Amino acid sequence: MATDLQNTWHPIAASTDLVKRHVYQAQLLGREYAVWRADDGYVNIWENRCLHRGVRLSIGINDGRELKCQYHGWRYANRTAGCTYIPAHPADAPARTICNNTYPVAEASGLVWCGEHATGDLPDMSGFESVTALRGLPVNAPRDMVIEALGAYAFADGCSAQTDEHGVVTVTAADGQAVRFFVQPSDSNLSVIRGVLNQALDGAERIAALRHHNFLLDVLRSQVEARAAELETPEPMTPPIAKVSADLAEIPPEQEGGRTAELRVQVVDKTVTAEGIVSLRLEAIKGQLPTFQPGAHIDVHLQNGMVRQYSLTNGPGETDHYTIGVKREPDSRGGSVAIHDSLAVGDVLAVSAPHNNFPLRRDALHTVFVAGGIGVTPLLAMARALNSQGLSFEFHYFVQSHAHAAFRREMGEFGDALTLHKGLSPEDTGAKLRDILASPGHARHLYICGPGPMLEATRGIAADLGWSDEAVHFEYFKNTKEVDDTNSFQIELARSALSLNVPAGKTILEVLRENGINMESSCEQGACGTCRVGVIEGEVIHQDVYLNDAEKSAGKSIMTCVSRAASDRLILDI
Amino acid sequence: MSSPKCKDPIALNLWYAIAPLEEVLDGKVERSILLEQPIAFTREPSGQIAVWSHDGDGARPVGASLPVQERYGYFWTTLGTPDADIFAIPEYDEPDRRNIHAASFGVNASAPRLVENFLDMGHFPYVHTDILGAEPHTEVKEYFVERSDERDEILATNCKFWQPMASRASSGGADVDYIYRVPHPYCSVLYKSAAIDPARMDAIAIFIQPITQESVRVHMMLSLLDDTSTDLDIRLFQQTIFGQDKPILENQYPKRLPLDPRAETPIRADKSAIVYRRWLSDKGITYGVIPAAA
Ligand code: FES
Ligand SMILES: [Fe+2]
């Protein structure tokens, strides 16, 4: 049960403690917090424990966008505290549910405020519109004892003190100067006195005032500590440690079900970023957007009922919005045209949480990105992540003309790593790609995204020049292959011991759903990889463009939205 | 000895390394602590080592002695009556090896947290940067873990990790093979490709002496195929490595190893730690851990 102290706001640091790129360790009611300011100004208050092996995050590294744990380098995003990368498994996207505990945060009057379950307003600060925050002073004594002692605090002539029902002590001198004290209950026998003066002081005046109060508070501290030492020391508080979600305790994270649009976002900006391409900035209507990883996409449910997939272009730590790029494709079924022509700033969209089926390895010695047209979007997010970590990469962006190059501002940060290839014919593109891909090698990885023919060509050239399947990563926008669904076959579900018939004209995914099995999916045309399922036995007719050739011939997994059985029956690992 | 502070019968009945033999001096009484019990030891005129428990004054009660064994360059004792002998490290007796006591470190952490750290390859690039690992070579490849009930120990094999400078004797980066054994709840032995003879493996063991549930002394023993480095260099290398782990270990919370599977978030790379936690749970160990609620 939450106590009153847990429900109220307490200062836990001075704003000035949150120095750039620093992680500050705070404590409230026995619980430790890692407090850090991202470069965008946001203050994060997290439980001071890495979810992986419990190492204090206050000894971690604040890179301005993410916090990196010292022990195994797990990275957690600004704002969401979601884990974005697990270096021990560079080819995997971390489960979305790996998310640290975050706590309410506010910044006012030169102090940083928190409360385990704080809601409602910060303490009233009328009369303290401009302030000077005193240095926080830790005292080895219970909070009540400190509050009581502050009732007799006098820093000038004619001081009178008032203590309100929340234990806030305001001491006013005859000349109107006042100081207001909040006593932070760090632990049962540890408190921090945090005071603010009702004047914004500068320079020598400020230093003189800080010294004066520091001296007086130091005396007060000795007295209180002497008194506390005579009493029996209370047991330290032991705030319970929340358990991680059940699915994380098992090693392979479970899939979540359905093609859902659980988020509501508002279009806050719509900008033409290149000829025929708009970028949309989407912000949450309420609450916090879930963590994304570079390469992730969201499903956008349009007002006309269509569902389209768009990759996020965000850089690391940009967690207060999602940015997507949409190309106008007049020949397609109309999703992009609807976005271009009818979607307006202020409109609300239903979108899914990010799926990441195109994860970025960060253990490469060098990474080559080959983007064609609008295929630049997932690669942009990836390159921004590598760039912010100082990892080596080169970025090749093939466009029709200069005017067609999208997101040029974001790419500005790539410097020499960026090469624009403008208006090349297919032959010239091929020759250029041969140049770019001339040297495959140990720990070099290639990521490709672009129109189908270009993607095919790039994969072909890479294979030709000796790039192994494991080093080549790609994402198609769509599956343009004709899908044949004329055969019928049995599927057996190994974990639920169900046996189902898949008739002609229906997909495995549809049959599973009809039978109440909640399957996650996104593009539903064999391009995005979300509906992937393991195959235990049976032969597969692969009709997707997600798996690479090695994965297809291994026959260990199947895209249930398009692929089918070549044998009479398939045993699936679900 | 009056009733022991440690109430865990399994922990009480184990053998523990207390000090390297070269530090047990004739006629000089040294004190130590094992499972919160003050103990003292000396080398008697006969050359034998004597160990006894005491009430804090070091005084040797008449006739009361604890069992002693000399093994792997240390003397071992126990507060209980072990039903098994000290586990075997056959490599120790191979004639061409150098057996060295590398260090004894005090650490404010529980013994099982140290064992897990010892089994863990994923931290090499971050904690032992440019020595046992370096970004971006961070992948922990699939390996095997088995638990032998017959030998009552855990074995992790086929472990590989890319290392820029795996030992004192190595000169450049390489994929290094590792094998890990956990033959005792608070001891572990690792084997890694030897720099001078890739067909054979160096052995490194940690023998942990729990002082309390949340503090230990760890003794580090090396059995190496290295005839070029000096003892001093080898020790300095190991001490550097261990000095890097210590601040991490002391910043892990909770300090006792939580055995509830939902207390922390394991990944595939932590397979050996998962098996270790289960093994401790099945044994019913309570010292230095937070048992999973039944
Ligand atoms: S304990 Fe934080 S990354 Fe492993
Ligand atoms: Fe280590």
Side-chain angles (χ1 to χ4, degrees), chain A residues 284-505:
Chain A
I285 294 188
K286 203 173 96 213
Q288 171 65 57
L289 292 170
T291 313
F292 61 86
Q293 298 140 8
H297 73 269
I298 53 173
D299 298 342
V300 177
H301 295 240
L302 296 167
Q303 286 125 327
N304 64 9
M306 290 185 160
V307 183
R308 288 286 174 274
Q309 286 72 46
Y310 295 103
S311 298
L312 303 181
T313 60
N314 299 47
E318 292 180 356
T319 44
D320 56 346
H321 66 279
Y322 293 152
T323 299
I324 58 174
V326 179
K327 181 177 178 206
R328 188 186 168 94
E329 317 240 29
D331 304 338
S332 72
R333 285 180 288 163
S336 63
V337 173
I339 291 178
H340 272 256
D341 297 354
S342 20
L343 190 70
V345 168
D347 284 0
V348 171
L349 289 173
V351 304
S352 71
H355 303 280
N356 192 6
N357 305 309
F358 193 24
L360 169 68
R361 301 183 67 113
R362 304 188 204 184
D363 64 339
L365 289 180
H366 186 68
T367 303
V368 180
F369 294 101
V370 172
I374 192 63
V376 71
T377 51
L379 305 187
L380 176 59
M382 292 181 178
R384 295 177 77 186
L386 296 187
N387 195 41
S388 123
Q389 279 179 248
L391 296 170
S392 161
F393 71 94
E394 58 192 274
F395 198 99
H396 298 276
Y397 186 14
F398 290 81
V399 285
Q400 245 169 290
S401 74
H402 199 86
H404 287 85
F407 298 106
R408 294 300 307 280
R409 188 175 49 82
E410 288 78 356
M411 278 182 220
E413 60 193 50
F414 300 166
D416 291 346
L418 172 70
T419 315
L420 266 191
H421 305 279
K422 289 171 290 212
L424 298 187
S425 67
E427 295 72 54
D428 291 348
T429 302
K432 184 55 80 190
L433 285 169
R434 288 191 169 275
D435 266 8
I436 295 170
L437 302 179
S439 40
H442 172 66
R444 290 171 76 91
H445 284 261
L446 168 63
Y447 290 79
I448 324 165
C449 188
M454 175 200 172
L455 218 160
E456 294 292 336
T458 313
R459 287 176 64 195
I461 292 169
D464 242 29
L465 295 174
W467 289 74
S468 69
D469 272 357
E470 293 74 61
V472 179
H473 314 264
F474 53 84
E475 185 172 73
Y476 284 83
F477 309 145
K478 54 176 178 254
N479 188 357
T480 50
K481 290 188 191 149
E482 272 306 317
V483 172
D484 177 351
D485 62 358
T486 52
N487 69 335
S488 87
F489 53 93
Q490 276 305 111
I491 50 172
E492 274 169 38
L493 314 187
R495 292 191 219 166
S496 50
L498 263 183
S499 177
L500 304 170
N501 180 255
V502 182

Side-chain angles (χ1 to χ4, degrees), chain B residues 74-144:
Chain B
Y74 301 82
F75 83 82
W76 298 62
T77 190
T78 177
L79 301 179
T81 41
D83 46 16
D85 192 11
I86 299 167
F87 53 89
I89 307 178
E91 294 73 16
Y92 188 84
D93 297 321
E94 290 173 6
D96 59 345
R97 282 184 184 259
R98 281 170 72 187
N99 296 320
I100 303 169
H101 159 64
S104 296
F105 267 94
V107 187
N108 283 312
S110 65
R113 286 277 192 202
L114 265 84
V115 171
E116 275 201 1
N117 168 267
F118 194 71
L119 297 177
D120 179 81
M121 292 182 284
H123 76 286
F124 290 167
Y126 297 97
V127 179
H128 309 297
T129 312
D130 294 339
I131 305 176
L132 300 184
E135 287 185 271
H137 308 276
T138 55
E139 182 163 19
V140 177
K141 300 186 191 74
E142 292 297 324
Y143 59 91
F144 305 121

Side-chain angles (χ1 to χ4, degrees), chain A residues 71-226:
Chain A
Y71 201 179
H72 306 97
W74 288 24
R75 305 181 76 91
Y76 296 94
N78 178 24
R79 275 191 196 82
T80 65
C83 177
T84 61
Y85 190 61
I86 297 178
H89 300 304
D92 300 0
R96 211 191 311 132
T97 41
I98 304 183
C99 194
N100 203 345
N101 297 321
T102 60
Y103 296 89
V105 55
E107 200 174 1
S109 310
L111 298 171
V112 177
W113 302 76
C114 180
E116 185 139 353
H117 306 288
T119 49
D121 297 335
L122 290 174
D124 174 35
M125 290 299 277
S126 41
F128 286 78
E129 281 73 22
S130 46
V131 296
T132 302
L134 300 182
R135 190 168 72 87
L137 193 88
V139 184
N140 288 305
R143 179 173 185 262
D144 293 345
M145 207 180 268
V146 178
I147 291 172
E148 197 194 309
L150 286 168
Y153 187 74
F155 63 92
D157 288 340
C159 275
S160 71
Q162 252 186 349
T163 306
D164 75 7
E165 74 272 26
H166 301 298
V168 180
V169 184
T170 308
V171 184
T172 314
D175 63 359
Q177 281 189 66
V179 55
R180 180 164 291 171
F181 291 112
F182 302 88
V183 181
Q184 169 192 349
S186 292
D187 207 331
S188 54
N189 198 46
L190 177 62
S191 310
V192 183
I193 301 174
R194 299 203 178 266
V196 288
L197 308 179
N198 64 344
Q199 272 178 303
L201 300 175
D202 261 340
E205 256 191 329
R206 175 172 168 272
I207 291 178
L210 292 186
R211 281 216 182 112
H212 180 58
H213 286 280
N214 216 40
F215 174 77
L216 295 171
L217 287 170
D218 210 31
V219 173
L220 180 139
R221 163 161 67 184
S222 322
Q223 292 163 351
V224 178
E225 287 189 345

Side-chain angles (χ1 to χ4, degrees), chain A residues 49 51-56 59 68-74 85-90 92 98 239 241-246 248-251 361-365 389 391 442-443, chain B residues 113 116-117 120 122-124 126-127 135-142 162 245 247-254 258 260-271 273-274 277:
Chain A
R49 258 185 102 230
L51 291 170
H52 179 217
R53 283 297 179 251
V55 169
R56 281 198 173 95
I59 65 167
K68 177 176 152 193
C69 178
Q70 286 285 12
Y71 201 179
H72 306 97
W74 288 24
Y85 190 61
I86 297 178
H89 300 304
D92 300 0
I98 304 183
I241 301 172
K243 292 186 178 187
V244 301
S245 66
L248 293 180
E250 298 300 322
I251 310 176
R361 301 183 67 113
R362 304 188 204 184
D363 64 339
L365 289 180
Q389 279 179 248
L391 296 170
H442 172 66
Chain B
R113 286 277 192 202
E116 275 201 1
N117 168 267
D120 179 81
H123 76 286
F124 290 167
Y126 297 97
V127 179
E135 287 185 271
H137 308 276
T138 55
E139 182 163 19
V140 177
K141 300 186 191 74
E142 292 297 324
W162 191 91
D245 283 315
I248 298 285
L249 286 162
E250 294 184 339
N251 276 293
Q252 260 176 303
Y253 182 80
D260 184 325
R262 282 180 57 191
E264 294 179 345
T265 311
I267 54 172
R268 289 199 307 287
D270 303 320
K271 261 200 224 163
I274 293 167
R277 289 186 189 196

